[in-house]
Amino acid sequence: MIDTNIYLSHWPGRRLPLDETPALVEKLADLGVTQAWAGSFDGLLHKDIAAVNQRLADECVVRGDGMLIPFGSVNPTLPDWQDDLRRCDEEHGMPGIRLHPNYHGYTLDQPEFSDLLDLAGERRLIVEIALKMEDNRTQHPLLQVETVDTTPLPDLLRSRPELQVVLINSMRDLRGPSLEPFAGLGNAWIEISMLEGVGGIERLIPDFPYERVLFGTYAPFFIPESAVLKLQESELGAEIEGAIRSGNANRLLAEAQVRNPSNTR
């Protein structure tokens, strides 16, 4: 399996089981994960994004046991964010970046976000956008963060067909009418970590092409066994299950590396 949504370092609100990299890697390997795309919890609140991404890249190499692929943070409200994007690509060889608009204080209709998409597209980077990190009911009183409003995003993706965007931590909010605008876009992808309900993937497939559904656990915030059970409880058939387990992510990553040969991690 390829896990497209894990985090390293420590969640700012509390310690989590498996929030030390070796323990997380061991657990994922036990579950059959062979590759995991890793962001950093430090990217939410730290202002020195360059240092966050350097630590992330180093941790993936030193303690990732060949499994971890870093996806760096970029905050377009900070000075020199363009250089942070450049470093992700040129210095760290990352195939993509991970954005947290709600924690960084911008909306998807602001020009800074459009500029970021343009530059990421020029570098052929995968862009992962986290819609939420925590249930609103459990947030710390001083860290009340609203879910990202995706209303402007379909038009932005439609005008940038070469840009590949993965919506992570999204399936509690993108349902029915809110998911429909993304279903017809060939460059919009989703992952399953926050998909709820028995047979959730099976019920999702009629509304969204399985070719753009990815496996993701959101470990260590969620226990990774939860995402594995989502695959097991849905009657998908070998072709669809194989695509979601790893085939789709392999294809997305391979396309990014073909478009940008510098991303070879």
Side-chain angles (χ1 to χ4, degrees):
M1 290 183 289
I2 295 179
D3 189 342
T4 61
N5 179 18
I6 71 162
Y7 280 82
L8 305 186
S9 194
H10 297 157
W11 174 248
R14 66 183 186 276
R15 293 300 301 269
L16 302 169
L18 304 176
D19 66 4
E20 296 293 341
T21 303
L24 178 59
V25 168
E26 182 179 6
K27 169 59 73 173
L28 291 174
D30 287 346
L31 293 173
V33 173
T34 56
Q35 183 184 102
W37 302 359
S40 173
F41 282 136
D42 294 349
L44 299 180
L45 301 178
H46 290 213
K47 289 189 175 181
D48 188 351
I49 294 295
V52 168
N53 292 334
Q54 182 67 62
R55 289 195 301 273
L56 173 65
D58 292 344
E59 187 78 352
C60 288
V61 171
V62 175
R63 296 182 175 86
D65 199 23
M67 176 189 293
L68 304 183
I69 296 182
F71 274 58
S73 297
V74 177
N75 181 351
T77 70
L78 295 177
D80 297 327
W81 65 265
Q82 297 91 339
D83 204 41
D84 291 326
L85 182 69
R86 179 194 63 78
R87 288 193 184 98
C88 288
D89 178 19
E90 296 180 9
E91 296 183 12
H92 304 309
M94 296 174 177
I97 57 174
R98 188 169 292 178
L99 307 181
H100 305 92
N102 45 2
Y103 280 82
H104 293 164
Y106 64 92
T107 58
L108 304 192
D109 58 0
Q110 290 182 212
E112 295 89 342
F113 178 66
S114 295
D115 292 343
L116 192 162
L117 293 184
D118 288 336
L119 289 182
E122 290 174 10
R123 293 182 174 274
R124 306 303 188 190
L125 295 171
I126 300 167
V127 176
E128 293 193 329
I129 303 174
L131 299 198
K132 70 192 316 170
M133 300 296 288
E134 183 178 18
D135 191 303
N136 296 56
R137 295 168 295 182
T138 64
Q139 290 177 352
H140 189 283
L142 298 181
L143 272 179
Q144 296 293 308
V145 184
E146 294 297 323
T147 303
V148 175
D149 180 6
T150 61
T151 304
L153 190 55
D155 285 341
L156 292 169
L157 298 187
R158 199 170 290 113
S159 63
R160 297 166 174 82
E162 296 300 316
L163 178 70
Q164 303 299 316
V165 171
V166 182
L167 299 171
I168 66 173
N169 298 350
S170 61
M171 297 312 297
R172 284 184 183 169
D173 302 279
L174 286 184
R175 292 176 295 187
S178 61
L179 180 62
E180 185 176 353
F182 296 99
L185 295 173
N187 57 342
W189 306 67
I190 56 177
E191 57 84 28
I192 65 169
S193 64
M194 287 194 176
L195 185 64
E196 296 180 330
V198 176
I201 302 177
E202 188 177 350
R203 290 184 285 106
L204 171 67
I205 296 307
D207 297 327
F208 197 91
Y210 77 86
E211 296 90 347
R212 289 185 280 113
V213 178
L214 305 169
F215 178 76
T217 65
Y218 189 29
F221 197 94
F222 288 170
I223 60 169
E225 289 90 343
S226 174
V228 177
L229 288 173
K230 296 179 201 297
L231 285 172
Q232 295 174 349
E233 69 184 10
S234 288
E235 295 290 337
L236 300 173
E239 178 182 351
I240 295 177
E241 183 174 334
I244 296 172
R245 279 179 173 268
S246 61
N248 295 339
N250 260 326
R251 177 165 49 88
L252 176 58
L253 190 62
E255 289 174 359
Q257 292 175 343
V258 167
R259 292 191 302 265
N260 189 345
S262 69
N263 297 324
T264 56
R265 282 182 180 269

